[in-house]
Amino acid sequence: MRLFQQYCIRNEKSLNGIWKFRMEGFDKEYRMPVPGAFEQHPDFLKHRGVGTYEKQVFLKDDTHVRLFFQGISHTCDIFWDGEKVAHHYNAFTPFAVVIPEQKSGAHELRIVVDNRFSEDSSLHVPNDYYSYGGITRSASIEQLSDVYIKQVHMTPLRENDGWLADIRVEIENVSSKDQELRFHASLREDEDYDFDAGAFYFENLKFHVGEKKTLHIKQAFPDVKAWSDNEPNLYLLQCALAKDGEWIDDRIERVGFRTLEISGKNILLNGEKIFIKGFNRHEDYAQIGCAIPLQLMVKDLDLMEDMGGNSVRCSHYPNDDMFLDLCDERGILVWEEGHARGFGLDRMQNPNFDRQSEDCIREMIAAHYNHPSIYIWAVLNECASETEEGREIYAKQLGLLKELDTSRPTSFATCRHLSDICLDLPDVVSFNMYSGWYIDNPVAETNEEELEWIKASGGEGKPVMVTEVGAGAIYGFRDRTRQKWSEEGQCDIIRENLEVYMNHPDIMGVYLWQFADCRVTEEEWFARRPRSYNNKGIVDEYRRPKLSYDVVKELFEKKSGRIEE
Ligand code: ADA
C-alpha cells in the first residue's frame, strides 16, 4: 500500500490479486486483477456499467475488521457476508470500513462498482480525461484491536533554530467494553520497530464504550534534518497502544520537517523562494488506464526529473498515496487538488455537487496531510469563478481547505481571463493560458495584460503561477510546416511560452499541460480530441518522448528551482 511499513503491530494483509468478477449484461465470470481498471479487458474497453468483484477472506481469530481502499472507481457499495457495510463515491480518495466483532473463519467480501455517468455523479462526468471502472488502487484488510489508532497528523513547526512536531492522534474504542491503555509515540530515521526505545511521549488513557479521543502532542526535535526538494529527509513517526503491558495496535506515518510561507509574490520553502518547473499529470497509462503500478509511477517521475522538472500538479484530483510517497522521497513538490475540472454553473449546481466535493476534500486532506512534498492545496480547476453563485462555492471550498490545514497555501487554476471575481480568495493566484494554441496572441503582451488585471481584481501582492501552458502534437506526426498537431509545432509553442513565463519577475512557476497524452471520454469530447485522447503530452500515453521533450529539458535544466534575491 505504501513505500514504508505502516504497521508493525497491527495485522494488515493486502487484498491485491485476482478477484472473481461479473459485469451486468455479460453472462460470464471473469478473473479480474486488483488493483485494475476493468476496461483493460477486451470485453470492456469502453464499457460503462455495474461490475461485481468477489473474494473470500479468512480470519484467523475473532477480531474487529478494518477494510481499507486507496481508490474504487467511481461509485461502489461494499458487502460483507451479504450485508451492505459501506457506500463510497469518487475514484480518487481513500476510505476505510470498520466491521466490529467478527468471528474467525471464512467471510465473503463483495464490491459492486459503477462507472456510469448520471445525475448521481457530479464530479465524474464526460470530460477531458477518462473515468475508468474498478477497484483501481490497492486494497487491504486489517485485524483491529478493541482500541485502535485511526489517524495521525503531524504539522512541522520551526522553533528557535530547531523543529517542533505538532501531532494530533485520533484513537477510537470499537469494543463493547471500557478500556484502559498506554499510548507511546516515537520518531525514528529507520524502520527499527523497537517500540520500547526512543519513546518521546506516553500517557495512560481510559476509554468508555465507543469513545473517541484526540491526543494533541507538541514535541521539540532540535536536531532533525529539514525536508526540502534538494534534501528530502524523512522520518518515521510511530504511535502505539499497549494494554496490560502488551502492544495491541500501532500506526506509522512518514513525515518531513519543512516550512511553507507566503512572502509577497513568492512561496518560501524553509525560507527560500521556490520557482516551480512542473508538469500536469493525469493518472492514465496506455492499456491499463488509471491503475498505474509502482514501476510506471517511477518511470513518470524519472522522465520528469530527466527533463529538469521539480514539481507535479495532480490534475485534477487527489492521487495515489504511493505516487505521493515517491514524491516525498525524491523531493518533487506536489500541487494537489480536489476533484473538479471545467464545471460551469450548471454542473456546480448539481444537487450532489457540494456534498461530493466536500467529501473529496476532507478525504484528500485526511489521507495526504503528512506528505511533506505537498506544498499547496487547490480546488475547482476552471470552474465558474466569474459568477456570484460560483464565488460562493469557491469561498466555501477554499475555506474548507483552511479549516482542515492552516499549514499550506491554497489556490485554484482559473481560465476566466479578465472576468474572474474570486482572485481575492486564494493565497496564490494561478491561471491557465494557451497562447499560440487556442488563442493566437503574443505571449508576452497577453501575460502583461493578465498580470495587470490580476493586480486590479484581488490578486495584488500575491504569488502568481501559470498552472497550464501547452499545445497538442500527435506522436509521430512530423511536418516541416510546423503546423499545429505536428511535433515541431508543439516545440515552437512550448518554447515561446516557457521563455516568457520562466523569465518574468512576477511569475513564480509554470506547469506544462501536460506530461503525457491521456484518454478522454468519447462522450462530448471525441470531436475536439483526435483519437479521443488529449494529445498535449510531452510524451505519449506509452511515455514515448515527442520532439518537445528536448525543448523542455533544455529550458527547465537551465532554470534554477530557486529565485535568487
Ligand atoms: C484546460 C483544463 C485541462 C485540459 C486543457 C486542454 O486548461 O484544465 O484539464 O482540458 O484545458 O487540454 O485544453
Side-chain angles (χ1 to χ4, degrees):
M1 301 288 278
R2 302 295 296 272
L3 292 185
F4 60 94
Q5 188 175 342
Q6 198 152 35
Y7 303 107
C8 173
I9 307 288
R10 188 181 304 181
N11 181 325
E12 177 201 33
K13 212 165 58 178
S14 172
L15 291 172
N16 293 353
I18 300 297
W19 290 45
K20 287 181 189 171
F21 180 80
R22 300 189 79 86
M23 178 68 83
E24 266 181 18
F26 290 73
D27 185 16
K28 184 178 164 187
E29 182 173 278
Y30 299 82
R31 301 182 62 71
M32 202 65 78
V34 169
F38 56 58
E39 287 87 352
Q40 74 168 65
H41 190 285
D43 291 358
F44 309 126
L45 296 174
K46 63 174 187 177
H47 185 73
R48 292 203 177 279
V50 179
T52 298
Y53 289 81
E54 271 187 27
K55 185 180 186 62
Q56 202 169 54
V57 293
F58 291 88
L59 300 178
K60 189 168 62 64
D61 316 302
D62 293 1
T63 180
H64 311 296
V65 165
R66 179 176 184 263
L67 301 171
F68 180 71
F69 301 97
Q70 270 287 359
I72 298 182
S73 190
H74 58 60
T75 300
C76 67
D77 288 321
I78 316 270
F79 296 84
W80 178 262
D81 294 338
E83 183 198 347
K84 184 172 167 183
V85 292
H87 171 86
H88 187 266
Y89 173 76
N90 206 329
F92 305 117
T93 47
F95 66 100
V97 191
V98 173
I99 312 169
E101 317 285 357
Q102 294 303 301
K103 291 296 179 199
S104 62
H107 294 266
E108 186 215 58
L109 177 54
R110 183 159 48 88
I111 300 178
V112 180
V113 305
D114 186 347
N115 73 335
R116 292 174 300 179
F117 295 136
S118 76
E119 268 305 291
D120 297 339
S121 170
S122 69
L123 305 178
H124 287 279
V125 300
N127 218 325
D128 200 14
Y129 62 93
Y130 201 85
S131 281
Y132 292 92
I135 305 175
T136 47
R137 294 181 183 167
S138 286
S140 63
I141 183 169
E142 300 157 14
Q143 288 187 214
L144 278 192
S145 54
D146 283 341
V147 183
Y148 83 105
I149 299 170
K150 182 175 182 180
Q151 177 176 286
V152 178
H153 279 177
M154 192 284 280
T155 307
L157 302 169
R158 208 83 178 102
E159 184 181 59
N160 307 324
D161 57 358
W163 292 94
L164 184 76
D166 184 328
I167 303 165
R168 291 176 189 276
V169 184
E170 287 184 25
I171 305 170
E172 192 170 335
N173 178 5
V174 293
S175 73
S176 51
K177 301 189 289 294
D178 291 353
Q179 302 282 345
E180 254 190 73
L181 302 131
R182 194 162 169 71
F183 172 85
H184 277 241
S186 61
L187 189 80
R188 286 184 171 75
E189 286 191 65
D190 53 26
E191 297 195 329
D192 150 29
Y193 295 107
D194 169 5
F195 281 105
D196 288 316
F200 63 80
Y201 183 90
F202 46 78
E203 184 174 350
N204 291 318
L205 304 169
K206 287 186 174 38
F207 284 85
H208 297 303
V209 175
E211 188 177 2
K212 297 176 187 171
K213 279 190 201 293
T214 298
L215 296 186
H216 186 190
I217 306 163
K218 286 194 175 182
Q219 177 69 26
F221 292 102
D223 306 322
V224 291
K225 297 187 287 293
W227 184 93
S228 76
D229 48 349
N230 301 324
E231 286 185 57
N233 295 302
L234 293 168
Y235 291 86
L236 292 167
L237 174 59
Q238 299 166 345
C239 293
L241 292 172
K243 181 174 179 179
D244 305 332
E246 185 198 338
W247 295 116
I248 61 165
D249 191 46
D250 70 331
R251 187 175 176 100
I252 298 159
E253 291 289 337
R254 197 166 65 174
V255 298
F257 291 83
R258 55 103 180 88
T259 58
L260 290 164
E261 299 155 82
I262 300 279
S263 169
K265 59 186 181 180
N266 295 104
I267 296 178
L268 308 185
L269 172 65
N270 300 335
E272 296 181 6
K273 297 175 184 175
I274 59 174
F275 186 86
I276 294 291
K277 308 177 284 177
F279 298 90
N280 283 279
R281 174 182 178 268
H282 269 295
E283 288 183 334
D284 191 288
Y285 209 99
Q287 302 297 332
I288 54 171
C290 64
I292 300 180
L294 176 63
Q295 59 270 40
L296 292 177
M297 293 179 185
V298 168
K299 179 160 190 66
D300 284 358
L301 290 170
D302 286 344
L303 291 173
M304 288 183 211
E305 287 190 304
D306 180 57
M307 283 188 267
N310 65 0
S311 184
V312 59
R313 177 177 180 227
C314 298
S315 53
H316 298 289
Y317 38 74
N319 272 209
D320 192 319
D321 254 316
M322 188 81 88
F323 182 74
L324 300 172
D325 284 344
L326 285 169
C327 293
D328 293 340
E329 291 180 355
R330 300 169 79 130
I332 298 280
L333 295 167
V334 175
W335 164 308
E336 195 167 54
E337 59 187 29
H339 183 193
R341 185 215 161 275
F343 296 146
L345 213 42
D346 55 336
R347 286 207 188 281
M348 294 173 85
Q349 290 173 335
N350 173 309
N352 300 297
F353 182 81
D354 278 350
R355 175 177 44 78
Q356 290 176 342
S357 299
E358 180 172 344
D359 288 350
C360 176
I361 291 167
R362 288 186 181 281
E363 289 172 341
M364 170 178 76
I365 293 181
H368 296 164
Y369 188 91
N370 293 324
H371 287 287
S373 57
I374 297 175
Y375 75 99
I376 195 164
W377 298 118
V379 292
L380 297 168
N381 173 74
E382 294 198 347
C383 296
S385 55
E386 80 286 13
T387 67
E388 284 303 333
E389 302 89 331
R391 179 182 167 85
E392 265 181 56
I393 296 169
Y394 271 87
K396 188 188 310 179
Q397 292 197 16
L398 288 162
L400 180 59
L401 292 179
K402 279 294 177 206
E403 177 198 323
L404 297 172
D405 182 0
T406 55
S407 71
R408 292 175 171 95
T410 62
S411 188
F412 70 89
T414 184
C415 68
R416 283 6 190 220
H417 305 307
L418 314 186
S419 64
D420 200 301
I421 60 170
C422 296
L423 301 185
D424 58 314
L425 297 174
D427 297 320
V428 174
V429 172
S430 61
F431 63 90
N432 302 338
M433 185 69 81
Y434 286 86
S435 298
W437 181 254
Y438 290 122
I439 36 179
D440 273 330
N441 58 334
V443 182
E445 289 77 353
T446 306
N447 184 42
E448 291 309 326
E449 181 190 43
E450 184 82 1
L451 290 172
E452 274 315 301
W453 169 72
I454 288 170
K455 274 186 200 146
S457 50
E460 174 79 41
K462 294 182 178 182
V464 178
M465 218 185 311
V466 190
T467 17
E468 294 180 28
V469 297
I474 303 294
Y475 178 79
F477 173 39
R478 302 287 298 279
D479 189 346
R480 291 182 62 75
T481 66
R482 309 185 77 84
Q483 64 169 310
K484 287 181 179 170
W485 292 120
S486 69
E487 290 193 36
E488 293 85 346
Q490 185 186 44
C491 290
D492 297 345
I493 294 171
I494 285 179
R495 179 180 295 279
E496 188 190 358
N497 276 274
L498 288 187
E499 284 182 341
V500 169
Y501 292 127
M502 289 174 69
N503 297 296
H504 193 287
D506 295 338
I507 300 280
M508 50 85 38
V510 60
Y511 285 97
L512 283 162
W513 185 275
Q514 63 175 328
F515 168 68
D517 292 351
C518 74
R519 187 175 174 186
V520 305
T521 60
E522 192 178 6
E523 303 93 320
E524 299 183 21
W525 284 84
F526 79 93
R528 295 171 270 180
R529 294 287 182 266
R531 315 186 296 147
S532 286
Y533 264 78
N534 181 307
N535 299 283
K536 299 188 181 72
I538 307 302
V539 300
D540 78 349
E541 64 273 22
Y542 289 92
R543 275 50 179 176
R544 297 177 296 186
K546 301 175 187 174
L547 283 177
S548 58
Y549 184 102
D550 290 322
V551 172
V552 174
K553 184 175 172 70
E554 172 206 330
L555 296 174
F556 271 10
E557 281 188 333
K558 69 184 180 186
K559 175 78 179 175
S560 164
R562 290 289 182 276
I563 298 170
E564 304 314 328
E565 284 313 316

